Amino acid sequence: MASTSVSRIVPASVERVWDLIGGFHALPGWLPYITESAALQGGRVRRLSNPDGEVIVERLVNANEQERHYSYAILEAPFPVTGYLSTLHVYDIPGRPDSAEVVWSGRFVPQGVSDAEAVELFTGIYRDGLDALHKALSG
């Protein structure tokens, strides 16, 4: 099993950040790679579309509004991995009420690619996503 994690300090309070990213279907509001999120199975599953028309289906595994995090598993995607589980978490930064730390992490089993290639893929996705989040919160 391989894993990766990316963190980013963003220029907004934890409340503002969580309001933007905390909803399981909120990705199109801040992540350019995802253009649409359709709720399935009472909202516990999301069917995502990217600009190339590819589909990613994910199931919400765990969510905690008070601690500002949720975890999800990929059920279907064009990625060369199985057993994917990821968490998006927003943290307070003591003494900095106008900033928050966002950590996006995941673990997975590479299929047909090396661990390093799979880690590079998801590190890039998480890094680009958190860069887009920073940009969305800076504007």
Side-chain angles (χ1 to χ4, degrees):
M1 182 164 282
S3 64
T4 187
S5 182
V6 175
S7 69
R8 181 77 191 256
I9 305 296
V10 294
S13 68
V14 292
E15 294 84 5
R16 182 170 169 226
V17 176
W18 188 247
D19 285 347
L20 179 59
I21 72 171
F24 189 54
H25 300 282
L27 291 178
W30 63 274
L31 187 62
Y33 179 71
I34 300 300
T35 56
E36 181 182 347
S37 178
L40 307 171
Q41 298 182 15
R44 301 282 304 171
V45 172
R46 61 187 179 194
R47 182 182 187 278
L48 307 170
S49 300
N50 70 18
D52 297 328
E54 295 173 316
V55 171
I56 303 161
V57 180
E58 299 173 336
R59 174 182 302 282
L60 183 63
V61 174
N62 181 341
N64 187 314
E65 291 288 324
Q66 185 177 358
E67 294 180 8
R68 297 182 187 92
H69 65 82
Y70 70 83
S71 298
Y72 62 94
I74 290 180
L75 305 178
E76 174 188 333
F79 305 128
V81 298
T82 61
Y84 178 96
L85 182 66
S86 183
T87 300
L88 195 57
H89 201 144
V90 181
Y91 293 97
D92 260 323
I93 300 175
R96 294 182 59 190
D98 59 342
S99 296
E101 180 182 17
V102 181
V103 178
W104 197 350
S105 60
R107 64 180 194 249
F108 36 84
V109 178
Q111 295 290 302
V113 298
S114 69
D115 283 12
E117 289 169 313
V119 165
E120 182 180 348
L121 170 68
F122 286 104
T123 299
I125 289 171
Y126 299 166
R127 182 186 56 243
D128 293 351
L130 295 182
D131 287 349
L133 175 62
H134 187 277
K135 184 176 178 181
L137 291 165
S138 296

